[in-house]
Every structure is written in structure tokens, then in C-alpha cells.
Amino acid sequence: MTELAVEATPPRPDLSAHRIAKRYAAERRFKLYGRIAIYVALAVLALLLGTIISKGYSAFTQTHIALDVELPRVESDALKNDAAAVIGEINFRSLARAALRAEFPEVKGRRDRRQ
């Protein structure tokens, strides 16, 4: 068998002006697509933050209600011995509810109570 030595020459790049112009145009399009992607991402981020702020700003508001609450009478001897324990046993939530019921006696149903 005979061996054939074939020497391959690498293809020469086509350096014609038309081909270079196409390459530069493709590079400009690629940069434009990148900028558009960044602007779209920033717009979506702004929309997301705007939505969060518009729906969540009400969480930063407070409501204060002045309400007269009648505290239960406690024996003075128990109060002298351990005031913290006596105060810890008082159910302040039920006291507040009772004061609200006394302030608004016409409210009966659940829907009315929520309002």
C-alpha cells in the first residue's frame, strides 16, 4: 500500500468589505439586544417594586383608639406582695372587648364587628 501524504492548507478568511460589514452589523445588533434586555429587566424590576410598595404601604399605618377600660379590682395585699404576677393574670384582651361592646352596643353580627 502506498501512503499518500496530503497536506491540507487552512482556508483563508474572506476579508471582503461586504463580509466585514455584515460582521459589524451583527455585532451592533448583539449590543442592541443586550441593551434592550437590560432595559426590560430594569422595567420589570421597577414594576415589581412599584407593585410591592403600592400594595404594602398600608402596613405602615397605625390606628389609635381612645377607649375607657375598667380594670378589675385587686386586693391590695396581693398587689403589695407580687404586682407583676397579679398583672400577668389579667386578661387584657377580654377587658378591651368588653369595653368595645359597651361603647358600641348596637353591633351584634360578625360583619358589623369587623367594620
Side-chain angles (χ1 to χ4, degrees):
M1 296 220 167
T2 60
E3 292 182 25
L4 293 173
V6 177
E7 208 172 293
T9 59
R12 297 183 130 190
D14 184 13
L15 298 178
S16 66
H18 175 69
R19 188 120 166 116
I20 290 175
K22 281 178 65 175
R23 189 179 336 155
Y24 286 158
E27 185 176 344
R28 281 192 299 272
R29 278 193 314 273
F30 183 71
K31 286 182 180 180
L32 177 68
Y33 296 156
R35 286 187 184 126
I36 289 172
I38 289 172
Y39 294 143
V40 167
L42 288 174
V44 169
L45 179 63
L47 178 69
L48 178 67
L49 288 175
T51 303
I52 290 172
I53 290 170
S54 70
K55 293 187 182 206
Y57 78 94
S58 63
F60 297 107
T61 59
Q62 292 182 354
T63 304
H64 297 276
I65 300 173
L67 189 62
D68 292 329
V69 177
E70 187 175 326
L71 294 175
R73 293 200 176 263
V74 180
E75 295 178 11
S76 60
D77 294 337
L79 194 58
K80 286 179 185 176
N81 292 336
D82 194 8
V86 171
I87 291 174
E89 292 177 8
I90 298 173
N91 187 353
F92 289 102
R93 185 178 299 251
S94 66
L95 292 174
R97 285 184 181 161
L100 280 171
R101 280 191 210 106
E103 185 73 26
F104 303 105
E106 70 276 359
V107 175
K108 297 293 182 194
R110 182 182 179 126
R111 183 175 292 160
D112 294 335
R113 274 188 266 155
R114 294 188 115 217
Q115 289 179 352

